[in-house]
Amino acid sequence: MPSPTSQHRPFSFVRSARSDRKLAPALALLFALLVTVGCSVGPAPRAESQQVAGRDDGITLDQLFSNHFGAEGFGPAWWLEDSGLATLERAADGNARDLVRYDPLTGKRQILVAAKQLVPPGASRPLTISDYQFSADGARVLIFTNTRRVWRRHTRGDYWLLDRATGKLQQLGKGFDEARLQFAKFDPEGRRVAYLYYHDIYVEDLATGVVTRLTHDGSDTLTNGTFDWVYEEEWGLRDGFRWSPDGQRIAFWQIDAAAVGQFSLVDNTSDLYSRVTRYRYPKVGTTNPTCRIGTIPATGGEIRWMDIGGHPSDDYVARMEWADNSSELMLQRFNRLQNECRVMFADASTGAVRTVFTDRGTAWVEECDDVKWFDDGKRFTWVSERDGWRHLYFVSRDDGSTTLVTPGNYDVVSIQHIDSERGWVYFIASPDDPTQRFLYRARLDGSDGEQPVRITPQLRGTHGYQISPNGQWAIHRYSTFASPSTVEMVALPSHRVLRTMTDNAALKGKLAEVAKGPSEFFRVEIEPDDGFGKVELDGWVIRPPDFDASKRYPVLVYVYGEPAAQTVLDRFGGSNYLWHLMLAQKGYVVLSIDNRGTPGPRGRAWRKSVYGKIGIVAPKDQAAALRALQKRWPYLDATRVGIWGWSGGGSMSLNAIFRYPDLYHTAMAIAFIADQRNYDTIYQERYMGLPKDNPEGFRDGSPITHAHRLRGNLLLVYGTGDDNCHYQNCEVLVDELVRHDKQFDMQIYPNRTHSISQGANTRRHLFTRLTRYLEEHLPAGAR
């Protein structure tokens, strides 16, 4: 469920360390919540804009939704192939941005493309650079501008070509409809550009301007070179075609969603009569889009389809790339249950396919975005949990045999860089504490044994890196639970700081003046009744500034709890953290717990323990942990307990108050799934299997099944324009609650999407509503 506020990624030419795997559905939403959102502010409601309890060091909603706590950013910044650092900076006249390069060692600045070079003929202002790509020789640069959002990201727009030597600026696809091109990219020699136009693939010769249409069957339901809603949402796929290394052919996905059921979003506010948007959305257990892979000569001609076998709508091709040559493709094909990934090699000329390696599991297995070729294409890297931990392997191209690169009882969280020249792999891990993230490296030949070398200094927190192509430099970003990000340039492997880009000193100064109580990370032991054995869960707690352990305080639990995200990380939480801090100032104890099944680095058994039991295991773990904490900390008032969450966390909040009415008294559930059958195939079936095979799991894990047990206070919050978790979920739950004569409250936002952020004042209104609801139904303050 990636947030629609996500930014478009840079072109493939720009090299940077991969982010932590695919941002799975609600993980991106949680990240979106961590950003302080500026919006227009209306009249102050009641006392929310006043200082907390009359104190002058309290946080207000006005401050949260203005720029008072705004953080300094750095970037966007990307590594170039020559290991220079590229970024966009405001031009001298202040009206546009230059594309500049910095030398990482000396800091020397060079303007690569000046804003004044990007003024189209007849225009008065430069183009806005949303993305860019240089040709292989650096002589030309492709500019992406005038963009439009397609589902989550801005992937549609106009492309312009700048010849850096002559200064000539020309538009590609001239004569085509405005802002309709997608994913334009140079061929390997920089003489042609391929792009999509209305779901078909075109190639434009840059010398002659001749445009060749390669595919001819694109439509609203059949896409060549891009994807439908569910492939984009759950596999993170958008750009769906690849030039061969020799520039002779183009490989591409073709997705046919004609047989997929349509869902309708109804807009009742934009006109006198309703506007209905219909789109293809495969719900659990229903027909998926079909997928096939083809190659076509770049000059046009016959398409060669790969004979990948399986069922075209029940199997997924989640990844496709050229296999270190121009004659074969490497495919990652998943079965519908996603417990098997076949690594297949397809002959681009004949379509013949052979399976070289299969990754299997008793639960789901993951796609791999860390493939790198070695020994002239004889072996490649692969990440798998096959030994119980997430590790890097070498796989033989000939027979699929594997060699473990990073042995040990720890998880590789994400691969940051593979330095084949020097024989190192850099990765994020935290062997001793799942709440932390550090940079490690290990020898590619495995000679380090089970002791990888930690590169990050002895600083707690969450550390992220963008490592240069040559492995010598990195942009290092780090923060802690209560301290915002510092961004610096470091040398590797010494981690010597070369310069600091931003340390957010102003924001840190403001936060230092804010009243805070004692906060900490903790572990709480539970003993599940499912045979897993005793286990310690990680959590954090924020206490009031005037905390007195001899008194009792109301408790608010912040929850997510699904396989897509952790909430218990030693990382600055932006506006989310500040809102929780504001509530603590009002007299609440705020805490969060990561149950089993969340994606922390605690081994395969931990993560896969929830397979087939989403909505069942997690609420039990959360309830058991809360009861244990109530015994440990008598200051937690057992008569005043609330819970809130968004998306999967909204579903968890519902399951909590429905299933454990004696434990939770107030719940605020946002953008939730009431019935798991209402969500999409790829995400829900990955963790639950098929409804026909697991009917009890789907029934028992769905909050709607337990709605009749509601006894406490319940606030339902939804955007009617949510294309991800449909407003349908709110309506079916309302029907069920009404049927059982259960009283509840609702806050509906017309046409808002899953992020509930569109429109003036929306986010401020939402958090004002949440704050008021807590104060009215879960009275604040010590007793």
Side-chain angles (χ1 to χ4, degrees):
M1 305 172 225
S3 165
T5 59
S6 300
Q7 295 298 309
H8 178 60
R9 290 289 181 123
F11 284 99
S12 56
F13 130 90
V14 181
R15 303 267 310 263
S16 64
R18 244 173 93 269
S19 59
D20 289 1
R21 315 213 40 171
K22 178 177 78 72
L23 278 182
L27 178 56
L29 174 64
L30 290 172
F31 281 138
L33 287 174
L34 302 183
V35 179
T36 300
V37 179
C39 59
S40 60
V41 179
R46 300 192 319 176
E48 271 86 14
S49 293
Q50 306 307 312
Q51 298 293 347
V52 175
R55 63 193 310 157
D56 59 7
D57 54 1
I59 297 172
T60 69
L61 286 167
D62 280 346
Q63 291 174 333
L64 284 182
F65 296 98
S66 66
N67 199 40
H68 181 79
F69 290 110
E72 296 175 7
F74 172 73
W78 308 284
W79 291 108
L80 304 176
E81 291 290 352
D82 65 359
S83 289
L85 183 67
T87 189
L88 296 169
E89 293 184 350
R90 192 165 297 281
D93 63 6
N95 294 322
R97 295 193 294 177
D98 297 328
L99 175 58
V100 302
R101 177 193 184 278
Y102 283 93
D103 183 283
L105 182 60
T106 67
K108 181 180 179 182
R109 180 179 185 268
Q110 173 191 3
I111 297 179
L112 298 177
V113 178
K116 63 184 178 183
Q117 295 177 272
L118 299 178
V119 180
S124 60
R125 295 178 58 83
L127 299 170
T128 298
I129 303 176
S130 296
D131 209 340
Y132 62 90
Q133 179 190 15
F134 286 93
S135 58
D137 61 4
R140 293 165 166 163
V141 61
L142 195 58
I143 302 297
F144 183 47
T145 188
N146 190 29
T147 66
R148 304 290 190 274
R149 184 164 62 88
V150 179
W151 300 122
R152 295 292 168 265
R153 294 183 182 170
H154 282 238
T155 59
R156 181 163 64 81
D158 294 326
Y159 287 88
W160 291 74
L161 182 75
L162 175 68
D163 187 306
R164 298 177 68 199
T166 66
K168 181 182 178 182
L169 182 67
Q170 66 186 71
Q171 186 173 5
L172 299 184
K174 196 169 184 180
F176 286 170
D177 292 347
E178 180 186 5
R180 290 300 320 191
L181 301 191
Q182 291 184 280
F183 311 118
K185 56 180 76 74
F186 287 109
D187 73 0
E189 294 185 349
R191 298 177 180 177
R192 297 166 294 175
V193 169
Y195 48 74
L196 301 187
Y197 180 65
Y198 284 109
H199 302 151
D200 277 315
I201 302 171
Y202 292 73
V203 171
E204 183 167 339
D205 186 289
L206 300 180
T208 66
V210 173
V211 176
T212 302
R213 183 175 180 174
L214 301 188
T215 62
H216 299 267
D217 52 358
S219 70
D220 288 341
T221 58
L222 189 146
T223 60
N224 296 296
T226 190
F227 301 91
D228 71 322
W229 186 93
V230 75
Y231 261 76
E232 174 177 326
E233 181 72 17
E234 306 302 358
W235 290 119
L237 293 171
R238 293 169 179 84
D239 178 355
F241 70 96
R242 310 284 186 265
W243 280 101
S244 62
D246 63 8
Q248 298 302 303
R249 300 183 72 85
I250 288 177
F252 66 98
W253 274 269
Q254 184 185 82
I255 304 293
D256 186 350
V260 175
Q262 296 187 70
F263 196 82
S264 298
L265 300 176
V266 181
D267 174 359
N268 288 317
T269 65
S270 296
D271 209 337
L272 288 175
Y273 293 93
S274 299
R275 296 179 183 178
V276 179
T277 300
R278 293 172 63 82
Y279 68 107
R280 308 283 172 167
Y281 184 107
K283 288 185 179 277
V284 171
T286 67
T287 301
N288 265 323
T290 62
C291 167
R292 57 179 178 171
I293 304 294
T295 66
I296 189 169
T299 54
E302 180 184 356
I303 299 173
R304 175 65 65 187
W305 298 107
M306 304 300 104
D307 184 16
I308 59 179
H311 192 284
S313 65
D314 277 349
D315 289 332
Y316 308 102
V317 180
R319 296 292 183 267
M320 177 271 289
E321 299 290 344
W322 290 93
D324 201 42
N325 58 36
S326 296
S327 59
E328 281 191 312
L329 298 172
M330 182 183 189
L331 314 177
Q332 297 181 36
R333 194 195 80 183
F334 286 77
N335 62 343
R336 180 146 182 171
L337 291 177
Q338 299 172 62
N339 57 12
E340 177 184 277
C341 174
R342 292 176 177 264
V343 178
M344 313 172 88
F345 288 85
D347 188 300
S349 299
T350 69
V353 173
R354 61 191 177 94
T355 298
V356 169
F357 169 73
T358 303
D359 206 6
R360 292 189 179 91
T362 54
W364 68 94
V365 295
E366 307 279 357
E367 74 279 10
C368 180
D369 288 319
D370 298 300
V371 173
K372 186 164 183 175
W373 294 95
F374 285 79
D375 301 335
D376 297 322
K378 293 179 181 177
R379 57 181 183 151
F380 57 90
T381 54
W382 187 264
V383 175
S384 172
E385 294 178 330
R386 58 197 297 116
D387 73 346
W389 301 90
R390 190 169 186 267
H391 282 304
L392 183 69
Y393 292 81
F394 277 120
V395 180
S396 167
R397 185 177 191 145
D398 290 333
D399 60 13
S401 58
T402 61
T403 304
L404 180 59
V405 177
T406 56
N409 293 335
Y410 67 91
D411 283 310
V412 171
V413 174
S414 63
I415 302 295
Q416 298 294 292
H417 179 69
I418 297 176
D419 188 343
S420 55
E421 199 172 305
R422 298 174 182 83
W424 293 100
V425 56
Y426 289 82
F427 55 90
I428 298 294
S430 185
D432 303 317
D433 187 343
T435 70
Q436 308 292 302
R437 296 291 187 270
F438 307 114
L439 184 66
Y440 287 78
R441 74 170 183 170
R443 286 286 183 188
L444 286 170
D445 61 10
S447 60
D448 283 333
E450 298 187 7
Q451 298 298 323
V453 178
R454 177 167 159 172
I455 301 299
T456 304
Q458 298 300 314
L459 297 171
R460 289 183 63 80
T462 297
H463 299 259
Y465 295 80
Q466 283 179 264
I467 300 180
S468 64
N470 64 11
Q472 295 182 28
W473 326 105
I475 301 172
H476 172 219
R477 292 177 169 88
Y478 67 95
S479 68
T480 63
F481 185 70
S483 181
S485 291
T486 293
V487 184
E488 56 193 21
M489 178 82 70
V490 299
L492 294 179
S494 68
H495 214 279
R496 176 171 60 93
V497 177
L498 302 176
R499 65 189 60 85
T500 298
M501 278 68 172
T502 178
D503 59 5
N504 269 300
L507 177 55
K508 290 174 181 176
K510 290 180 180 179
L511 291 174
E513 297 174 357
V514 168
K516 304 182 192 70
S519 300
E520 64 177 292
F521 284 80
F522 62 83
R523 279 200 157 183
V524 56
E525 184 179 85
I526 65 171
E527 187 169 9
D529 60 5
D530 54 13
F532 190 86
K534 290 183 180 180
V535 62
E536 289 186 322
L537 307 184
D538 290 292
W540 53 253
V541 61
I542 302 173
R543 301 180 182 91
D546 52 356
F547 175 71
D548 182 344
S550 67
K551 297 182 179 180
R552 291 179 178 269
Y553 295 86
V555 180
L556 178 65
V557 179
Y558 171 52
V559 67
Y560 179 69
E562 291 208 359
Q566 284 179 262
T567 59
V568 184
L569 278 171
D570 193 1
R571 175 182 64 196
F572 188 62
S575 61
N576 224 23
Y577 164 74
L578 292 167
W579 184 63
H580 287 152
L581 199 58
M582 185 190 81
L583 294 178
Q585 292 172 349
K586 290 175 178 288
Y588 294 94
V589 170
V590 185
L591 61 87
S592 189
I593 301 162
D594 272 344
N595 49 260
R596 286 177 296 157
T598 50
R602 300 188 63 166
R604 180 181 63 194
W606 164 274
R607 290 186 290 274
K608 304 302 170 68
S609 61
V610 295
Y611 182 68
K613 296 176 285 186
I614 298 296
I616 300 171
V617 169
K620 286 184 179 180
D621 281 8
Q622 291 279 337
L626 183 56
R627 288 191 176 109
L629 289 174
Q630 288 173 340
K631 291 180 180 178
R632 181 195 299 182
W633 296 331
Y635 57 80
L636 301 181
D637 190 341
T639 68
R640 290 182 290 166
V641 178
I643 187 168
W644 87 283
W646 200 304
S647 191
S651 306
M652 278 287 298
S653 299
L654 292 173
N655 267 321
I657 198 166
F658 292 163
R659 299 170 74 110
Y660 302 97
D662 293 327
L663 185 61
Y664 301 95
H665 311 105
T666 296
M668 303 184 298
I670 306 173
F672 50 84
I673 294 292
D675 186 331
Q676 292 185 32
R677 296 173 302 172
N678 287 340
Y679 201 50
D680 73 65
T681 51
I682 297 178
Y683 181 89
Q684 208 66 40
E685 293 173 8
R686 176 185 298 150
Y687 306 122
M688 289 294 291
L690 294 169
K692 65 181 180 64
D693 300 326
N694 185 20
E696 291 184 4
F698 274 90
R699 183 173 58 252
D700 196 29
S702 295
I704 196 169
T705 303
H706 311 282
H708 64 281
R709 301 173 63 184
L710 175 66
R711 294 210 303 265
N713 311 299
L714 175 60
L715 174 64
L716 306 178
V717 181
Y718 234 102
T720 66
D722 194 332
D723 62 285
N724 187 351
C725 299
H726 299 142
Y727 180 57
Q728 170 192 49
N729 285 281
C730 191
E731 292 188 327
V732 298
L733 182 59
V734 165
D735 265 355
E736 185 69 5
L737 290 168
V738 169
R739 186 165 76 90
H740 294 287
D741 198 24
K742 299 296 181 179
Q743 298 300 310
F744 57 93
D745 295 280
M746 290 177 64
Q747 181 67 58
I748 303 304
Y749 291 93
N751 305 320
R752 272 61 165 195
T753 66
H754 197 57
S755 67
I756 313 184
S757 60
Q758 297 78 19
N761 207 46
T762 296
R763 190 56 70 88
R764 189 189 193 283
H765 185 279
L766 168 59
F767 277 86
T768 299
R769 180 75 159 108
L770 298 178
T771 304
R772 286 184 179 182
Y773 198 80
L774 281 177
E775 291 179 321
E776 291 171 4
H777 297 281
L778 199 73
R783 293 179 179 174

